[in-house]
Amino acid sequence: MLRVIRGVGSLLKEFLEELVGEVLLTIIACVTVAGLAVAFVWGWERSPLVTGGAGGALLAFLVYGGWELLRPSKPGRRGRLAGAAAATFTVAIVFIAYAWSCTCS
């Protein structure tokens, strides 16, 4: 009987940890999306050219990161910039996935 109670307690603990983790990631993603939207609007009011250039540069960096992740790897080929771009691309994809479920509009 005690073994069953411990098993159920362990299951509930794991469930709550996953639930809290999902909620935190969703909140962080929603706040990040809202912050980026505010920064874009503020920047567009100041200088549309600089805002468009910065957005284009960020998009190019993310595309480079995706390309680095998807192309066939060769030993000793990936540098620091490529690793940073790939990590940024991965984080952006995770945030997009969580922000997609964001109902904070």
Short mmCIF file of all heavy atoms in Angstrom, two decimals, residues 30-101:
data_model
loop_
_atom_site.label_atom_id
_atom_site.label_comp_id
_atom_site.label_asym_id
_atom_site.label_seq_id
_atom_site.Cartn_x
_atom_site.Cartn_y
_atom_site.Cartn_z
N CYS A 30 5.21 34.66 -24.24
CA CYS A 30 4.24 35.74 -24.44
C CYS A 30 4.84 37.10 -24.11
O CYS A 30 4.64 38.07 -24.85
CB CYS A 30 3.00 35.51 -23.59
SG CYS A 30 1.94 34.19 -24.20
N VAL A 31 5.59 37.18 -23.03
CA VAL A 31 6.23 38.44 -22.65
C VAL A 31 7.28 38.84 -23.69
O VAL A 31 7.41 40.02 -24.04
CB VAL A 31 6.84 38.33 -21.23
CG1 VAL A 31 7.74 39.50 -20.92
CG2 VAL A 31 5.74 38.24 -20.20
N THR A 32 8.01 37.87 -24.20
CA THR A 32 9.01 38.16 -25.23
C THR A 32 8.36 38.67 -26.51
O THR A 32 8.82 39.66 -27.10
CB THR A 32 9.84 36.90 -25.54
OG1 THR A 32 10.47 36.46 -24.34
CG2 THR A 32 10.90 37.17 -26.57
N VAL A 33 7.28 38.04 -26.93
CA VAL A 33 6.58 38.49 -28.14
C VAL A 33 6.02 39.89 -27.93
O VAL A 33 6.13 40.75 -28.81
CB VAL A 33 5.46 37.49 -28.52
CG1 VAL A 33 4.53 38.07 -29.56
CG2 VAL A 33 6.06 36.20 -29.01
N ALA A 34 5.42 40.14 -26.77
CA ALA A 34 4.89 41.48 -26.48
C ALA A 34 6.02 42.51 -26.45
O ALA A 34 5.87 43.62 -26.99
CB ALA A 34 4.14 41.47 -25.16
N GLY A 35 7.14 42.17 -25.85
CA GLY A 35 8.28 43.08 -25.80
C GLY A 35 8.84 43.38 -27.18
O GLY A 35 9.18 44.53 -27.50
N LEU A 36 8.93 42.36 -28.02
CA LEU A 36 9.40 42.58 -29.40
C LEU A 36 8.42 43.45 -30.18
O LEU A 36 8.85 44.30 -30.98
CB LEU A 36 9.60 41.24 -30.11
CG LEU A 36 10.83 40.45 -29.68
CD1 LEU A 36 10.82 39.07 -30.33
CD2 LEU A 36 12.10 41.19 -30.02
N ALA A 37 7.13 43.26 -29.98
CA ALA A 37 6.14 44.08 -30.67
C ALA A 37 6.24 45.53 -30.23
O ALA A 37 6.22 46.45 -31.07
CB ALA A 37 4.74 43.54 -30.41
N VAL A 38 6.39 45.77 -28.94
CA VAL A 38 6.53 47.14 -28.43
C VAL A 38 7.82 47.76 -28.96
O VAL A 38 7.83 48.93 -29.38
CB VAL A 38 6.48 47.15 -26.88
CG1 VAL A 38 6.93 48.49 -26.33
CG2 VAL A 38 5.09 46.82 -26.40
N ALA A 39 8.91 47.01 -28.95
CA ALA A 39 10.18 47.52 -29.45
C ALA A 39 10.10 47.84 -30.94
O ALA A 39 10.64 48.86 -31.39
CB ALA A 39 11.30 46.51 -29.19
N PHE A 40 9.39 47.00 -31.70
CA PHE A 40 9.25 47.25 -33.13
C PHE A 40 8.44 48.52 -33.38
O PHE A 40 8.82 49.37 -34.20
CB PHE A 40 8.58 46.06 -33.82
CG PHE A 40 8.38 46.27 -35.29
CD1 PHE A 40 9.42 46.11 -36.17
CD2 PHE A 40 7.14 46.64 -35.79
CE1 PHE A 40 9.25 46.32 -37.53
CE2 PHE A 40 6.95 46.85 -37.14
CZ PHE A 40 8.01 46.69 -38.01
N VAL A 41 7.32 48.69 -32.68
CA VAL A 41 6.48 49.88 -32.87
C VAL A 41 7.26 51.12 -32.46
O VAL A 41 7.23 52.14 -33.16
CB VAL A 41 5.16 49.74 -32.09
CG1 VAL A 41 4.40 51.05 -32.04
CG2 VAL A 41 4.30 48.65 -32.71
N TRP A 42 7.94 51.06 -31.32
CA TRP A 42 8.73 52.22 -30.86
C TRP A 42 9.83 52.55 -31.87
O TRP A 42 10.03 53.71 -32.22
CB TRP A 42 9.35 51.91 -29.50
CG TRP A 42 10.19 53.02 -28.98
CD1 TRP A 42 9.77 54.14 -28.34
CD2 TRP A 42 11.62 53.13 -29.06
NE1 TRP A 42 10.83 54.93 -28.01
CE2 TRP A 42 11.98 54.34 -28.44
CE3 TRP A 42 12.61 52.31 -29.59
CZ2 TRP A 42 13.30 54.75 -28.35
CZ3 TRP A 42 13.92 52.72 -29.49
CH2 TRP A 42 14.26 53.92 -28.88
N GLY A 43 10.52 51.54 -32.35
CA GLY A 43 11.58 51.77 -33.33
C GLY A 43 11.04 52.29 -34.66
O GLY A 43 11.66 53.15 -35.29
N TRP A 44 9.89 51.79 -35.07
CA TRP A 44 9.30 52.23 -36.33
C TRP A 44 8.90 53.71 -36.25
O TRP A 44 9.02 54.44 -37.23
CB TRP A 44 8.09 51.37 -36.66
CG TRP A 44 7.62 51.56 -38.07
CD1 TRP A 44 6.61 52.36 -38.49
CD2 TRP A 44 8.17 50.94 -39.23
NE1 TRP A 44 6.48 52.27 -39.84
CE2 TRP A 44 7.41 51.41 -40.34
CE3 TRP A 44 9.19 50.03 -39.46
CZ2 TRP A 44 7.67 51.00 -41.63
CZ3 TRP A 44 9.44 49.63 -40.76
CH2 TRP A 44 8.69 50.11 -41.82
N GLU A 45 8.44 54.14 -35.08
CA GLU A 45 8.10 55.55 -34.91
C GLU A 45 9.35 56.43 -34.95
O GLU A 45 9.30 57.56 -35.43
CB GLU A 45 7.38 55.76 -33.58
CG GLU A 45 5.98 55.20 -33.56
CD GLU A 45 5.34 55.28 -32.19
OE1 GLU A 45 6.02 55.69 -31.22
OE2 GLU A 45 4.14 54.94 -32.09
N ARG A 46 10.45 55.94 -34.45
CA ARG A 46 11.70 56.71 -34.43
C ARG A 46 12.36 56.75 -35.81
O ARG A 46 12.69 57.80 -36.32
CB ARG A 46 12.69 56.12 -33.42
CG ARG A 46 12.19 56.06 -32.02
CD ARG A 46 12.29 57.42 -31.35
NE ARG A 46 11.89 57.31 -29.97
CZ ARG A 46 10.88 57.98 -29.44
NH1 ARG A 46 10.20 58.82 -30.18
NH2 ARG A 46 10.57 57.83 -28.19
N SER A 47 12.59 55.56 -36.38
CA SER A 47 13.26 55.48 -37.67
C SER A 47 12.88 54.17 -38.36
O SER A 47 13.42 53.11 -38.01
CB SER A 47 14.77 55.55 -37.50
OG SER A 47 15.42 55.31 -38.71
N PRO A 48 11.99 54.24 -39.34
CA PRO A 48 11.59 53.01 -40.04
C PRO A 48 12.76 52.34 -40.76
O PRO A 48 12.82 51.11 -40.83
CB PRO A 48 10.54 53.49 -41.05
CG PRO A 48 10.05 54.79 -40.53
CD PRO A 48 11.19 55.39 -39.77
N LEU A 49 13.70 53.11 -41.26
CA LEU A 49 14.82 52.54 -41.99
C LEU A 49 15.72 51.70 -41.07
O LEU A 49 16.09 50.57 -41.40
CB LEU A 49 15.65 53.66 -42.64
CG LEU A 49 16.82 53.21 -43.50
CD1 LEU A 49 16.32 52.40 -44.68
CD2 LEU A 49 17.62 54.40 -43.97
N VAL A 50 16.04 52.23 -39.91
CA VAL A 50 16.89 51.50 -38.96
C VAL A 50 16.14 50.27 -38.43
O VAL A 50 16.73 49.18 -38.30
CB VAL A 50 17.34 52.42 -37.81
CG1 VAL A 50 18.05 51.63 -36.73
CG2 VAL A 50 18.22 53.52 -38.34
N THR A 51 14.86 50.42 -38.14
CA THR A 51 14.08 49.29 -37.64
C THR A 51 13.99 48.18 -38.68
O THR A 51 14.17 47.00 -38.36
CB THR A 51 12.66 49.75 -37.26
OG1 THR A 51 12.77 50.80 -36.30
CG2 THR A 51 11.86 48.61 -36.67
N GLY A 52 13.75 48.55 -39.93
CA GLY A 52 13.71 47.56 -41.00
C GLY A 52 15.06 46.90 -41.20
O GLY A 52 15.14 45.69 -41.43
N GLY A 53 16.13 47.68 -41.12
CA GLY A 53 17.47 47.12 -41.26
C GLY A 53 17.82 46.17 -40.14
O GLY A 53 18.38 45.08 -40.38
N ALA A 54 17.47 46.54 -38.91
CA ALA A 54 17.75 45.67 -37.77
C ALA A 54 16.91 44.39 -37.85
O ALA A 54 17.41 43.29 -37.57
CB ALA A 54 17.47 46.39 -36.46
N GLY A 55 15.65 44.53 -38.25
CA GLY A 55 14.80 43.34 -38.42
C GLY A 55 15.31 42.43 -39.52
O GLY A 55 15.32 41.21 -39.38
N GLY A 56 15.77 43.03 -40.62
CA GLY A 56 16.34 42.24 -41.71
C GLY A 56 17.61 41.53 -41.30
O GLY A 56 17.84 40.37 -41.67
N ALA A 57 18.45 42.22 -40.53
CA ALA A 57 19.69 41.60 -40.05
C ALA A 57 19.39 40.44 -39.11
O ALA A 57 20.03 39.38 -39.20
CB ALA A 57 20.57 42.64 -39.36
N LEU A 58 18.42 40.62 -38.22
CA LEU A 58 18.03 39.54 -37.31
C LEU A 58 17.46 38.35 -38.09
O LEU A 58 17.80 37.19 -37.81
CB LEU A 58 17.01 40.03 -36.29
CG LEU A 58 16.51 39.00 -35.29
CD1 LEU A 58 17.64 38.46 -34.45
CD2 LEU A 58 15.42 39.58 -34.43
N LEU A 59 16.64 38.64 -39.08
CA LEU A 59 16.07 37.58 -39.90
C LEU A 59 17.17 36.83 -40.67
O LEU A 59 17.16 35.60 -40.74
CB LEU A 59 15.05 38.15 -40.87
CG LEU A 59 14.29 37.15 -41.73
CD1 LEU A 59 13.50 36.19 -40.85
CD2 LEU A 59 13.37 37.88 -42.68
N ALA A 60 18.13 37.57 -41.22
CA ALA A 60 19.25 36.93 -41.92
C ALA A 60 20.07 36.05 -40.98
O ALA A 60 20.49 34.95 -41.35
CB ALA A 60 20.14 37.98 -42.57
N PHE A 61 20.28 36.51 -39.74
CA PHE A 61 21.02 35.73 -38.75
C PHE A 61 20.27 34.45 -38.40
O PHE A 61 20.86 33.37 -38.29
CB PHE A 61 21.24 36.59 -37.50
CG PHE A 61 22.17 35.98 -36.49
CD1 PHE A 61 23.52 35.80 -36.77
CD2 PHE A 61 21.69 35.59 -35.26
CE1 PHE A 61 24.37 35.24 -35.84
CE2 PHE A 61 22.54 35.04 -34.32
CZ PHE A 61 23.89 34.86 -34.61
N LEU A 62 18.94 34.54 -38.25
CA LEU A 62 18.14 33.35 -37.96
C LEU A 62 18.15 32.38 -39.13
O LEU A 62 18.23 31.16 -38.94
CB LEU A 62 16.70 33.75 -37.61
CG LEU A 62 16.50 34.42 -36.26
CD1 LEU A 62 15.08 34.91 -36.13
CD2 LEU A 62 16.87 33.50 -35.13
N VAL A 63 18.08 32.88 -40.35
CA VAL A 63 18.14 32.01 -41.53
C VAL A 63 19.49 31.31 -41.60
O VAL A 63 19.58 30.11 -41.89
CB VAL A 63 17.86 32.82 -42.81
CG1 VAL A 63 18.20 32.03 -44.05
CG2 VAL A 63 16.40 33.25 -42.84
N TYR A 64 20.56 32.04 -41.31
CA TYR A 64 21.90 31.45 -41.29
C TYR A 64 21.97 30.34 -40.23
O TYR A 64 22.55 29.27 -40.47
CB TYR A 64 22.94 32.52 -41.02
CG TYR A 64 24.35 32.01 -40.86
CD1 TYR A 64 24.99 31.34 -41.88
CD2 TYR A 64 25.04 32.19 -39.66
CE1 TYR A 64 26.28 30.86 -41.73
CE2 TYR A 64 26.33 31.72 -39.50
CZ TYR A 64 26.94 31.06 -40.53
OH TYR A 64 28.21 30.58 -40.37
N GLY A 65 21.37 30.57 -39.06
CA GLY A 65 21.35 29.54 -38.02
C GLY A 65 20.59 28.31 -38.44
O GLY A 65 21.02 27.18 -38.20
N GLY A 66 19.44 28.49 -39.11
CA GLY A 66 18.69 27.35 -39.61
C GLY A 66 19.46 26.59 -40.67
O GLY A 66 19.45 25.36 -40.71
N TRP A 67 20.15 27.32 -41.53
CA TRP A 67 20.96 26.69 -42.57
C TRP A 67 22.10 25.89 -41.95
O TRP A 67 22.41 24.78 -42.38
CB TRP A 67 21.50 27.77 -43.51
CG TRP A 67 22.34 27.24 -44.62
CD1 TRP A 67 21.95 26.42 -45.64
CD2 TRP A 67 23.73 27.49 -44.82
NE1 TRP A 67 23.02 26.15 -46.47
CE2 TRP A 67 24.12 26.80 -45.99
CE3 TRP A 67 24.68 28.24 -44.15
CZ2 TRP A 67 25.41 26.83 -46.47
CZ3 TRP A 67 25.96 28.28 -44.64
CH2 TRP A 67 26.32 27.58 -45.78
N GLU A 68 22.72 26.43 -40.92
CA GLU A 68 23.81 25.71 -40.24
C GLU A 68 23.30 24.43 -39.57
O GLU A 68 24.02 23.44 -39.51
CB GLU A 68 24.48 26.61 -39.19
CG GLU A 68 25.41 27.62 -39.77
CD GLU A 68 26.65 27.00 -40.39
OE1 GLU A 68 27.12 25.95 -39.91
OE2 GLU A 68 27.15 27.57 -41.37
N LEU A 69 22.08 24.47 -39.05
CA LEU A 69 21.53 23.27 -38.40
C LEU A 69 21.15 22.19 -39.41
O LEU A 69 21.28 21.00 -39.13
CB LEU A 69 20.30 23.64 -37.58
CG LEU A 69 20.55 24.24 -36.22
CD1 LEU A 69 19.21 24.60 -35.57
CD2 LEU A 69 21.30 23.28 -35.32
N LEU A 70 20.68 22.59 -40.57
CA LEU A 70 20.12 21.63 -41.52
C LEU A 70 21.11 21.10 -42.54
O LEU A 70 20.86 20.07 -43.16
CB LEU A 70 18.92 22.25 -42.23
CG LEU A 70 17.76 22.60 -41.30
CD1 LEU A 70 16.65 23.28 -42.09
CD2 LEU A 70 17.24 21.38 -40.59
N ARG A 71 22.22 21.78 -42.76
CA ARG A 71 23.16 21.30 -43.77
C ARG A 71 24.01 20.15 -43.20
O ARG A 71 24.18 20.04 -41.98
CB ARG A 71 24.05 22.42 -44.27
CG ARG A 71 25.12 22.83 -43.30
CD ARG A 71 25.97 23.89 -43.91
NE ARG A 71 27.05 24.21 -42.98
CZ ARG A 71 28.11 24.86 -43.31
NH1 ARG A 71 28.26 25.30 -44.53
NH2 ARG A 71 29.04 25.13 -42.42
N PRO A 72 24.53 19.31 -44.06
CA PRO A 72 25.37 18.20 -43.58
C PRO A 72 26.63 18.75 -42.89
O PRO A 72 27.27 19.66 -43.40
CB PRO A 72 25.74 17.44 -44.85
CG PRO A 72 24.84 17.93 -45.92
CD PRO A 72 24.34 19.27 -45.51
N SER A 73 26.92 18.20 -41.75
CA SER A 73 28.06 18.71 -40.99
C SER A 73 29.35 18.00 -41.40
O SER A 73 29.36 16.82 -41.73
CB SER A 73 27.83 18.51 -39.49
OG SER A 73 27.72 17.15 -39.20
N LYS A 74 30.41 18.77 -41.37
CA LYS A 74 31.74 18.22 -41.62
C LYS A 74 32.58 18.54 -40.38
O LYS A 74 32.43 19.61 -39.79
CB LYS A 74 32.37 18.85 -42.86
CG LYS A 74 31.65 18.48 -44.13
CD LYS A 74 32.31 19.06 -45.35
CE LYS A 74 31.55 18.66 -46.59
NZ LYS A 74 32.08 19.29 -47.79
N PRO A 75 33.45 17.65 -39.97
CA PRO A 75 34.23 17.86 -38.75
C PRO A 75 35.06 19.15 -38.82
O PRO A 75 35.69 19.44 -39.82
CB PRO A 75 35.13 16.64 -38.66
CG PRO A 75 34.59 15.65 -39.62
CD PRO A 75 33.75 16.37 -40.61
N GLY A 76 35.01 19.91 -37.73
CA GLY A 76 35.83 21.11 -37.62
C GLY A 76 35.37 22.27 -38.47
O GLY A 76 36.11 23.22 -38.68
N ARG A 77 34.14 22.24 -38.93
CA ARG A 77 33.67 23.27 -39.84
C ARG A 77 32.91 24.38 -39.15
O ARG A 77 32.92 25.53 -39.59
CB ARG A 77 32.76 22.61 -40.87
CG ARG A 77 32.40 23.50 -42.00
CD ARG A 77 31.72 22.67 -43.05
NE ARG A 77 31.33 23.51 -44.17
CZ ARG A 77 30.70 23.09 -45.22
NH1 ARG A 77 30.40 21.82 -45.32
NH2 ARG A 77 30.37 23.90 -46.17
N ARG A 78 32.22 24.09 -38.07
CA ARG A 78 31.35 25.07 -37.43
C ARG A 78 32.15 25.98 -36.50
O ARG A 78 32.84 25.55 -35.61
CB ARG A 78 30.27 24.35 -36.64
CG ARG A 78 29.29 25.31 -35.99
CD ARG A 78 28.13 24.62 -35.38
NE ARG A 78 27.28 24.13 -36.46
CZ ARG A 78 26.17 23.44 -36.25
NH1 ARG A 78 25.81 23.13 -35.05
NH2 ARG A 78 25.44 23.05 -37.25
N GLY A 79 32.03 27.27 -36.71
CA GLY A 79 32.72 28.26 -35.89
C GLY A 79 31.81 28.82 -34.81
O GLY A 79 30.68 28.36 -34.62
N ARG A 80 32.29 29.82 -34.11
CA ARG A 80 31.51 30.41 -33.02
C ARG A 80 30.27 31.12 -33.54
O ARG A 80 29.20 31.03 -32.94
CB ARG A 80 32.38 31.40 -32.25
CG ARG A 80 33.43 30.74 -31.42
CD ARG A 80 34.19 31.76 -30.63
NE ARG A 80 35.29 31.13 -29.93
CZ ARG A 80 36.23 31.78 -29.30
NH1 ARG A 80 36.23 33.10 -29.30
NH2 ARG A 80 37.19 31.14 -28.68
N LEU A 81 30.40 31.85 -34.63
CA LEU A 81 29.25 32.56 -35.18
C LEU A 81 28.18 31.58 -35.63
O LEU A 81 26.99 31.79 -35.38
CB LEU A 81 29.67 33.46 -36.35
CG LEU A 81 28.56 34.26 -37.00
CD1 LEU A 81 27.98 35.26 -36.00
CD2 LEU A 81 29.06 34.96 -38.23
N ALA A 82 28.60 30.51 -36.27
CA ALA A 82 27.64 29.50 -36.72
C ALA A 82 26.96 28.83 -35.54
O ALA A 82 25.75 28.59 -35.57
CB ALA A 82 28.35 28.45 -37.58
N GLY A 83 27.69 28.56 -34.49
CA GLY A 83 27.10 27.96 -33.29
C GLY A 83 26.12 28.91 -32.62
O GLY A 83 25.04 28.50 -32.18
N ALA A 84 26.48 30.20 -32.55
CA ALA A 84 25.58 31.19 -31.96
C ALA A 84 24.33 31.34 -32.81
O ALA A 84 23.21 31.46 -32.28
CB ALA A 84 26.30 32.52 -31.82
N ALA A 85 24.48 31.33 -34.12
CA ALA A 85 23.33 31.45 -35.01
C ALA A 85 22.42 30.24 -34.88
O ALA A 85 21.19 30.37 -34.85
CB ALA A 85 23.78 31.62 -36.45
N ALA A 86 22.99 29.06 -34.80
CA ALA A 86 22.19 27.83 -34.65
C ALA A 86 21.45 27.82 -33.31
O ALA A 86 20.28 27.45 -33.25
CB ALA A 86 23.09 26.61 -34.78
N ALA A 87 22.12 28.24 -32.25
CA ALA A 87 21.47 28.30 -30.93
C ALA A 87 20.35 29.34 -30.93
O ALA A 87 19.27 29.10 -30.38
CB ALA A 87 22.50 28.62 -29.85
N THR A 88 20.59 30.49 -31.54
CA THR A 88 19.57 31.53 -31.62
C THR A 88 18.37 31.04 -32.42
O THR A 88 17.22 31.28 -32.04
CB THR A 88 20.15 32.80 -32.27
OG1 THR A 88 21.30 33.21 -31.52
CG2 THR A 88 19.13 33.92 -32.30
N PHE A 89 18.62 30.34 -33.51
CA PHE A 89 17.55 29.79 -34.32
C PHE A 89 16.72 28.79 -33.51
O PHE A 89 15.48 28.82 -33.53
CB PHE A 89 18.12 29.11 -35.57
CG PHE A 89 17.09 28.47 -36.44
CD1 PHE A 89 16.32 29.23 -37.29
CD2 PHE A 89 16.90 27.09 -36.40
CE1 PHE A 89 15.36 28.64 -38.10
CE2 PHE A 89 15.95 26.49 -37.21
CZ PHE A 89 15.18 27.27 -38.06
N THR A 90 17.39 27.93 -32.76
CA THR A 90 16.69 26.92 -31.96
C THR A 90 15.83 27.57 -30.89
O THR A 90 14.67 27.20 -30.69
CB THR A 90 17.71 25.96 -31.31
OG1 THR A 90 18.52 25.40 -32.34
CG2 THR A 90 17.02 24.87 -30.53
N VAL A 91 16.38 28.56 -30.19
CA VAL A 91 15.61 29.27 -29.16
C VAL A 91 14.42 30.00 -29.79
O VAL A 91 13.32 30.00 -29.23
CB VAL A 91 16.52 30.25 -28.38
CG1 VAL A 91 15.71 31.17 -27.49
CG2 VAL A 91 17.53 29.47 -27.55
N ALA A 92 14.63 30.60 -30.94
CA ALA A 92 13.54 31.30 -31.63
C ALA A 92 12.43 30.33 -32.01
O ALA A 92 11.23 30.65 -31.86
CB ALA A 92 14.07 32.02 -32.86
N ILE A 93 12.78 29.15 -32.48
CA ILE A 93 11.77 28.15 -32.85
C ILE A 93 10.98 27.70 -31.63
O ILE A 93 9.75 27.57 -31.68
CB ILE A 93 12.42 26.95 -33.57
CG1 ILE A 93 12.96 27.37 -34.93
CG2 ILE A 93 11.44 25.79 -33.71
CD1 ILE A 93 11.92 27.90 -35.89
N VAL A 94 11.66 27.49 -30.51
CA VAL A 94 10.97 27.08 -29.28
C VAL A 94 10.04 28.20 -28.82
O VAL A 94 8.88 27.94 -28.45
CB VAL A 94 11.99 26.72 -28.18
CG1 VAL A 94 11.32 26.56 -26.83
CG2 VAL A 94 12.74 25.45 -28.55
N PHE A 95 10.51 29.45 -28.85
CA PHE A 95 9.66 30.57 -28.45
C PHE A 95 8.46 30.72 -29.38
O PHE A 95 7.36 31.01 -28.93
CB PHE A 95 10.45 31.86 -28.40
CG PHE A 95 11.10 32.13 -27.08
CD1 PHE A 95 11.08 31.20 -26.07
CD2 PHE A 95 11.73 33.33 -26.85
CE1 PHE A 95 11.67 31.45 -24.85
CE2 PHE A 95 12.33 33.59 -25.63
CZ PHE A 95 12.29 32.65 -24.63
N ILE A 96 8.67 30.52 -30.67
CA ILE A 96 7.55 30.61 -31.62
C ILE A 96 6.52 29.52 -31.31
O ILE A 96 5.31 29.78 -31.34
CB ILE A 96 8.06 30.52 -33.06
CG1 ILE A 96 8.77 31.83 -33.43
CG2 ILE A 96 6.92 30.24 -34.03
CD1 ILE A 96 9.52 31.78 -34.74
N ALA A 97 7.00 28.34 -31.01
CA ALA A 97 6.08 27.24 -30.69
C ALA A 97 5.25 27.55 -29.46
O ALA A 97 4.04 27.30 -29.42
CB ALA A 97 6.86 25.95 -30.49
N TYR A 98 5.87 28.13 -28.44
CA TYR A 98 5.13 28.46 -27.23
C TYR A 98 4.28 29.72 -27.40
O TYR A 98 3.19 29.82 -26.87
CB TYR A 98 6.07 28.61 -26.04
CG TYR A 98 6.41 27.28 -25.44
CD1 TYR A 98 7.59 26.63 -25.76
CD2 TYR A 98 5.54 26.66 -24.56
CE1 TYR A 98 7.90 25.40 -25.23
CE2 TYR A 98 5.84 25.42 -24.03
CZ TYR A 98 7.01 24.80 -24.36
OH TYR A 98 7.31 23.58 -23.84
N ALA A 99 4.77 30.69 -28.16
CA ALA A 99 4.01 31.92 -28.37
C ALA A 99 2.80 31.66 -29.27
O ALA A 99 1.82 32.39 -29.20
CB ALA A 99 4.91 32.99 -28.98
N TRP A 100 2.89 30.63 -30.11
CA TRP A 100 1.77 30.29 -30.98
C TRP A 100 0.54 29.95 -30.15
O TRP A 100 -0.59 30.25 -30.53
CB TRP A 100 2.15 29.11 -31.86
CG TRP A 100 1.25 28.93 -33.02
CD1 TRP A 100 0.11 28.20 -33.06
CD2 TRP A 100 1.41 29.49 -34.33
NE1 TRP A 100 -0.46 28.27 -34.31
CE2 TRP A 100 0.32 29.05 -35.10
CE3 TRP A 100 2.37 30.31 -34.91
CZ2 TRP A 100 0.17 29.41 -36.43
CZ3 TRP A 100 2.21 30.66 -36.23
CH2 TRP A 100 1.14 30.22 -36.97
N SER A 101 0.76 29.34 -28.97
CA SER A 101 -0.34 28.96 -28.10
C SER A 101 -0.73 30.09 -27.15
O SER A 101 -1.62 29.93 -26.34
CB SER A 101 0.02 27.72 -27.30
OG SER A 101 1.07 28.02 -26.41
#
